[in-house]
Amino acid sequence: MTNVGFSYLDELNDIQRQAATCLDGPVMVIAGPGSGKTRVLTYRIAHLINMGVSPGNILALTFTNKAAREMKDRIERVVGSKAQRVWAGTFHALFARILRVEAHKIGYPNDFSIYDTDDTKSVISEIIGQMNLDKKVYAPGIVRSRISSAKSNLITPKAYIANEELMAYDKMARRPLIHLIYEKYVARCQRAGAMDFDDLLLLMFRLLYQNPDQVREKYQNQFKYLLVDEFQDTNYLQYQTLKLLTVYPGSPNNMCIVGDDAQSIYSFRGATIENILQFENDFPELNTFKLEQNYRSTQFIVEAANEVINNNKRQIQKKIWTDRIEGNKIKLIKAVSETEEGKRVADTIIEQKNRYNLHNKDIAILYRTNGQSRVFEEQLRKYNILYKVYGGLSFYTRKEVKDLVAYLRLTINDKDDEALKRIINYPRRGIGDSTVDNIAQLAEDNDMSMWEVLTKIDFNSRSRKNIGEFVQMVMAFKTKAAKSNAYEIADFIARQSGIIELLKADKSIEGLGRLENITSILDGIKEFVEDDELEAGEEVEKDKSLSSFLQSISLMTDADVKEENPDTVTLMSVHSAKGLEFKSVFVVGLEENLFPSYMALTESNQVDEERRLFYVAITRAEEFLCLTYANSRYQYGNMRYNDPSRFLE
C-alpha cells in the first residue's frame, strides 16, 4: 500500500507502519514498553477512516477513560471531527452504553443503576445478616471477590453449584454457603434494577448470547473493525464477548489486539495471560507484528529489563532495544531500616533536582504494597517536597458526594434500594433505623423494591407522615427530571433535599470542605451539560440527561480526576503505574517476601507474575532508575529481616 496523501504514516518506523496499515483479518501487535503502541493504535484507526471505513463501524476498547480520550484526541488531529464518532472507550463504559439501549431484552430497566464496590458490599452484608451467618467467617469483602471472580469466568449461580472445585474450596474455607449468597445477590440486584461492574461485562455477554438474531447480528454488522488495547489485561469473559462480536460464519475476523504478555500483571483481578498466549490458536491466519524498539528508556534500563524478563518460561519471544546509548547507570541503595530507606530516597530526589534540574512531576516512587508509602511521605514532608499518593480516597467515594449521588440515582431509578436506604433519613426526617429495617424486610418478603413498599403499604401513624413527605419529595424530583437537563435537576435536588442547608449550618473546617465538595460536583455536572463533545457512537447531539451523567461518573477511575497541583512527586503501587512514564523512578522495598510478595512464592506462575510486575516497574523509567531495599522493616507489627529480592540478581 502506498503512502500517498497519508503523511502521518511517515511518523512511524517500518514495523509500526506495517502494523498500522495491515487493516484486514486478525492482527496481533506485541508492543514492548515505550515502543509507541498508542501511536500505532491511533494511526491505525485514522488510516481505517481515511481508507473509507465509517467511524461508527470501529470499536476501540481500552482499560482507562484517560487512554480512550487520548486516543480520540490523537485521531482527531489526523482525520478531524469524524474521530468523535468512533466507539472508543473502556469495556465497562461502552458495554454500559449498549445496555442502556438493550437491557430490557434481558429483564433489566434501561435506566439501571450501577452499583460501586460499597453498594455491592452493603447488599452482600445485608444478605449475610438475613441468613444469620457469621460476618467474621463470611466477610463481605471476601464474598464479593468470590462472586466477582465467578462472574469474570462466566460462572452463573447455577453453574457455581454444579462446579465441584468451587464448592469444595468454599467448604474447605468454612464458607459452604457462598453459592446461596451469590444467588440471592443476583436476584436482589435484578429486583433493584442495578448492575455492578462485573455485570456490565457479564450481562453484555448474556445479551449477545441469548439474542443471536436481533441484537448480536445488529452489533456484528455495526462493529466491522475491533481494536483492543492492553489485551493481556483482558479476562476470560471479556474475550468470550469479543469473540461473539467477531467470530461468526463469513466473518472477516477484523480484530486487532495490542498488548505485551511481559506486562500481564492483573491476574488478581481475573485477567488471564492465556488470552494473549493462545490468541494464535483461535486465529491461525493471524498477522503478528513485534514493536521492539524502545523510545522511552536508556540502554542500561532496557538491558536490565531484558535480563529480568528472560527468566520467565512462558512468553512471546522478543528482544527490546534502544538507540539511546548515553545514560546513567542504575543506582542501588541498601539501607539498614525502612526509615533509612525513606531518608536516602528523599536525599537522592533532592540531589537529582539540584544536579539535573528535575521537577517533582518527573519523579515517581513505586512500591509493591500501598502500606509502604508512609515512610516516604514522612521523609518528603520533612524536606518540604510536594507529593501526591495515588490510590487514596477518590472524590466520588466521599460521603457527602455519595449522598447527593444517591438522591440522583433514586430519582432516575426508584427500584435502587441502596440509594433509598442511604437517603431516606438524610437529612434527618424522623424515619428511624427500625422503620428502615422493617421496610427492607417487607420488600424482601413480598419480592418488591423498597420504593414499592413505601408507595403501596400503609405505615403506622407516627412514620406515615414522614414517609409520605419523603415520597412526595422524590416524586417532585422525578417530575422535574423528566423535563430538565442533568444540572438543573441536580441543583434543584441539592437544595430541596436539605443537603446544602444542612452543610451550610456546619461552620467547622470539615463542614466547609464538605460543602465545597457538593459545589464541586454541581460544577462538574454543569461542565458535563455544557460540553458538546460526543460520546462514543453518538451521531447528532450529546445526551445531557441525569441518567447519562450518572453513567459517566460511575465508571470513573482515579486516573480521571483532575490534578490540583501538577508539580508533585508521584507515590503509587507498581500496579497503578502501568502505562505511565517518569524521568526518574525509584523502585523500593526490593526484598524477598515483599517484592516478590510472600503470597507468590509457593507457585512458579505467581513468581512469574511478580517478575512481570518488576519488569513493568523498571520500564517506567526514562533516564534515572534507582532500586532500593532495607535489611529490616516492620511488617504487621513485627520486625522482619528479609534477604534482598531475587530480582536484583
Side-chain angles (χ1 to χ4, degrees), residues 272-513:
T272 169
I273 193 171
E274 299 305 321
N275 288 352
I276 195 164
L277 294 180
Q278 304 295 330
F279 192 70
E280 195 164 1
N281 297 352
D282 293 335
F283 297 96
E285 72 280 31
L286 184 66
N287 283 301
T288 301
F289 302 94
K290 294 179 183 177
L291 310 183
E292 295 174 305
Q293 182 175 1
N294 178 307
Y295 291 94
R296 175 189 299 156
S297 310
T298 59
Q299 192 171 359
F300 288 118
I301 295 167
V302 168
E303 283 176 1
N306 281 332
E307 283 293 324
V308 167
I309 207 65
N310 282 342
N311 288 288
N312 274 13
K313 301 283 177 284
R314 296 177 67 218
Q315 56 175 306
I316 297 168
Q317 285 304 322
K318 61 183 173 302
K319 180 89 171 145
I320 306 301
W321 61 278
T322 181
D323 54 14
R324 294 188 64 192
I325 308 299
E326 301 300 310
N328 300 276
K329 287 192 171 166
I330 296 170
K331 181 171 178 161
L332 181 67
I333 290 178
K334 172 187 172 183
V336 176
S337 65
E338 59 192 320
T339 309
E340 194 202 342
E341 182 187 34
K343 184 179 182 324
R344 290 187 60 189
V345 166
D347 287 337
T348 310
I349 288 174
I350 298 262
E351 184 194 346
Q352 287 181 349
K353 287 176 68 171
N354 292 336
R355 259 179 82 176
Y356 303 105
N357 219 2
L358 293 188
H359 297 285
N360 289 334
K361 65 171 187 274
D362 299 327
I363 301 166
I365 299 173
L366 308 182
Y367 32 75
R368 179 65 185 81
T369 63
N370 284 315
Q372 287 168 261
S373 74
R374 180 190 56 80
V375 174
F376 299 100
E377 288 187 65
E378 285 170 5
Q379 296 300 332
L380 293 175
R381 275 206 295 273
K382 280 182 190 165
Y383 285 110
N384 284 328
I385 298 171
L386 290 176
Y387 65 89
K388 179 173 182 357
V389 180
Y390 282 77
L393 194 63
S394 76
F395 180 76
Y396 287 101
T397 57
R398 292 170 190 167
K399 181 192 175 296
E400 58 281 4
V401 175
K402 290 194 79 158
D403 291 335
L404 177 57
V405 168
Y407 270 102
L408 306 183
R409 275 169 42 179
L410 189 67
T411 301
I412 293 301
N413 170 19
D414 56 34
K415 291 194 176 96
D416 188 338
D417 289 353
E418 287 309 297
L420 188 142
K421 278 189 295 198
R422 190 173 183 104
I423 57 164
I424 188 167
N425 198 35
Y426 175 81
R428 287 187 187 284
R429 49 177 70 90
I431 304 172
D433 289 349
S434 57
T435 305
V436 177
D437 290 343
N438 186 18
I439 296 166
Q441 195 57 56
L442 283 166
E444 184 67 18
D445 296 344
N446 294 288
D447 195 26
M448 303 163 94
S449 68
M450 290 173 72
W451 176 259
E452 286 176 291
V453 171
L454 295 184
T455 52
K456 291 179 179 170
I457 293 177
D458 208 6
F459 287 86
N460 68 42
S461 53
R462 208 170 49 153
S463 305
R464 186 188 296 151
K465 179 174 172 289
N466 298 334
I467 287 173
E469 284 171 0
F470 174 71
V471 168
Q472 269 184 313
M473 177 180 71
V474 175
M475 294 299 278
F477 295 163
K478 284 172 158 306
T479 307
K480 186 163 177 67
K483 46 182 192 285
S484 309
N485 66 33
Y487 175 70
E488 290 160 354
I489 179 60
D491 187 57
F492 181 74
I493 289 173
R495 293 174 196 290
Q496 296 302 312
S497 64
I499 289 182
I500 286 187
E501 202 178 329
L502 180 74
L503 293 177
K504 272 185 176 165
D506 181 354
K507 301 293 184 199
S508 69
I509 290 178
E510 292 77 17
L512 291 172

Side-chain angles (χ1 to χ4, degrees), residues 513-637:
R514 286 192 279 272
L515 185 60
E516 275 170 18
N517 287 336
I518 292 294
T519 312
S520 178
I521 187 173
L522 291 172
D523 290 344
I525 301 175
K526 196 166 179 64
E527 194 179 330
F528 170 83
V529 167
E530 289 176 355
D531 175 16
D532 283 325
E533 191 173 298
L534 293 179
E535 290 294 326
E538 284 178 335
E539 293 286 336
V540 196
E541 61 182 68
K542 179 170 169 167
D543 179 357
K544 296 179 179 182
S545 67
L546 186 54
S547 177
S548 176
F549 170 75
L550 286 173
Q551 177 176 309
S552 72
I553 63 162
S554 62
L555 298 168
M556 274 197 166
T557 63
D558 262 5
D560 299 311
V561 182
K562 287 199 175 82
E563 291 293 313
E564 287 106 34
N565 178 354
D567 193 29
T568 51
V569 171
T570 299
L571 274 67
M572 56 170 44
S573 72
V574 184
H575 281 105
S576 308
K578 189 154 164 296
L580 304 177
E581 53 188 51
F582 302 91
K583 280 188 184 164
S584 171
V585 168
F586 294 81
V587 187
V588 300
L590 282 163
E591 296 133 41
E592 288 290 295
N593 296 314
L594 183 55
F595 199 175
S597 160
Y598 71 94
M599 293 194 291
L601 297 179
T602 49
E603 295 173 49
S604 66
N605 64 340
Q606 293 284 56
V607 175
D608 279 3
E609 172 136 346
E610 291 285 306
R611 195 176 283 113
R612 294 194 292 268
L613 192 57
F614 182 54
Y615 177 81
V616 166
I618 59 184
T619 53
R620 300 309 94 204
E622 296 171 13
E623 293 172 27
F624 303 92
L625 176 62
C626 180
L627 310 174
T628 76
Y629 67 96
N631 287 342
S632 64
R633 72 174 62 239
Y634 279 99
Q635 272 177 296
Y636 307 111

Side-chain angles (χ1 to χ4, degrees), residues 155-222:
I155 298 167
T156 60
K158 239 186 210 141
Y160 197 105
I161 297 167
N163 187 312
E164 286 173 13
E165 200 181 316
L166 290 176
M167 296 296 281
Y169 179 91
D170 289 344
K171 212 173 227 158
M172 201 176 71
R174 301 194 1 264
R175 288 187 280 268
L177 296 178
I178 281 190
H179 66 94
L180 207 55
I181 302 171
Y182 183 13
E183 195 175 9
K184 287 176 183 289
Y185 172 71
V186 169
R188 183 78 68 86
C189 286
Q190 184 146 15
R191 193 177 76 204
M195 300 184 191
D196 64 24
F197 287 162
D198 296 308
D199 287 331
L200 295 174
L201 307 179
L202 182 65
L203 296 175
M204 177 69 183
F205 177 87
R206 184 192 295 171
L207 173 74
L208 296 173
Y209 187 76
Q210 290 179 350
N211 300 277
D213 301 333
Q214 281 180 301
V215 185
R216 196 194 316 171
E217 204 174 295
K218 169 182 165 184
Y219 290 104
Q220 283 170 344
N221 290 332
Q222 172 158 1

